[in-house]
């Protein structure tokens, strides 16, 4: 039984190299470019793809991150048959975030529910990335640079997170919205309607 199990493991490991080569070539990336992104030497990557080097988590994790694919896709793990995401909600400062994606790196999606503003006055912050918001219910106040807008249900906004920004519910009550956050360049083209004056 143990020998049979070892054979199955060896068979899975033997498929990792060709799969890594296929994923890299499908994305049009050279070994040198992948080496620069992951910090893994070209010779190690080449030996890994040719099957001369056994895959390890130390090598596979940066490769999965660089290719923006789940680790189980690189190792050819059998499908679980259940596509549902069972991530635990993240609760922080009165804001509950439900993860809608499970792969590391790349685009991250959350459903966010917030009962009341986190603070009296907005404190805009900056960081790397790009964000997209879509309001499901309630009203979401977005302070972005010089703009101060309110989004209602069905409205969306997108922005570069290097611009000072803050968002949260208005005094009207709780808000429920989707937040998609990705590295710079993963831009979605939608706009917020400016807040009506008066």
């Amino acid at each position: 039984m143990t020998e049979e199990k070892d054979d199955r493991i060896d068979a899975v490991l033997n498929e990792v190299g060709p799969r890594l080569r296929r994923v890299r070539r499908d994305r049009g990336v050279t070994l040198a470019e992948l080496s620069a992104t992951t910090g893994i030497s070209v010779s190690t990557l080449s030996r890994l793809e040719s099957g001369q080097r056994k895959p390890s988590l130390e090598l596979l994790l940066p490769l999965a991150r660089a290719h923006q694919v789940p680790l189980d896709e690189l190792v050819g793990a059998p499908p679980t048959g259940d596509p549902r995401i069972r991530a635990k909600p993240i609760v922080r400062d009165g804001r509950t975030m439900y993860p809608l994606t499970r792969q590391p790196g790349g685009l991250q999606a959350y459903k966010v529910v917030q009962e009341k503003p986190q603070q009296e006055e907005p404190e805009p912050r900056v960081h790397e990335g790009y964000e997209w918001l879509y309001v499901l219910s309630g009203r979401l106040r977005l302070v972005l640079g010089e703009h101060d807008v309110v989004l209602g249900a069905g409205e969306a906004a997108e922005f570069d997170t290097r611009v000072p920004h803050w968002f949260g519910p208005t005094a009207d009550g709780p808000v429920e919205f989707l937040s998609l956050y990705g590295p710079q360049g993963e831009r979605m083209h939608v706009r917020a309607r400016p807040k009506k004056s008066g």
Side-chain angles (χ1 to χ4, degrees):
M1 186 70 172
T2 306
E3 193 175 313
E4 185 182 317
K5 185 179 177 184
D6 289 346
D7 288 346
R8 282 199 311 258
I9 291 171
D10 284 343
V12 168
L13 290 177
N14 289 338
E15 288 300 312
V16 172
R19 190 174 289 108
L20 287 171
R21 181 181 288 122
R22 195 166 44 251
V23 168
R24 178 179 61 79
R25 287 181 174 168
D26 286 350
R27 283 163 172 69
V29 177
T30 66
L31 284 172
E33 290 168 334
L34 189 56
S35 173
T37 304
T38 61
I40 301 169
S41 72
V42 171
S43 63
T44 299
L45 290 170
S46 179
R47 289 191 351 259
L48 196 57
E49 288 188 1
S50 66
Q52 295 172 1
R53 168 117 189 213
K54 285 231 179 206
S56 67
L57 276 178
E58 185 180 34
L59 296 171
L60 292 175
L61 286 172
L63 288 169
R65 197 175 304 118
H67 291 311
Q68 295 187 359
V69 297
L71 186 60
D72 55 354
E73 189 175 313
L74 288 185
V75 297
T80 60
D82 187 350
R84 292 176 289 184
I85 297 170
R86 301 182 192 280
K88 292 183 179 174
I90 301 160
V91 180
R92 194 177 297 138
D93 300 322
R95 181 177 281 180
T96 305
M97 300 168 56
Y98 300 90
L100 302 177
T101 49
R102 60 177 152 206
Q103 65 187 29
L107 192 63
Q108 298 296 309
Y110 298 91
K111 176 184 172 188
V112 184
V113 178
Q114 192 173 342
E115 299 297 324
K116 57 184 178 179
Q118 291 168 292
Q119 64 257 356
E120 292 300 315
E121 280 303 310
E123 293 176 13
R125 298 175 187 238
V126 297
H127 51 89
E128 285 296 315
Y130 212 81
E131 190 146 5
W132 179 83
L133 303 170
Y134 178 81
V135 180
L136 297 168
S137 66
R139 290 163 51 84
L140 181 71
R141 180 181 177 198
L142 170 64
V143 176
L144 179 65
E146 300 169 359
H147 303 281
D148 190 338
V149 296
V150 174
L151 306 171
E155 288 189 296
E158 66 157 347
F159 54 92
D160 185 326
T161 56
R162 292 176 298 183
V163 175
H165 63 281
W166 174 94
F167 50 85
T170 63
D172 300 339
V175 65
E176 201 172 323
F177 59 97
L178 298 178
S179 169
L180 277 70
Y181 174 82
Q184 192 63 26
E186 290 186 16
R187 300 183 177 181
M188 292 145 211
H189 300 287
V190 290
R191 291 183 296 141
R193 187 171 63 213
K195 184 177 174 183
K196 290 178 186 171
S197 57

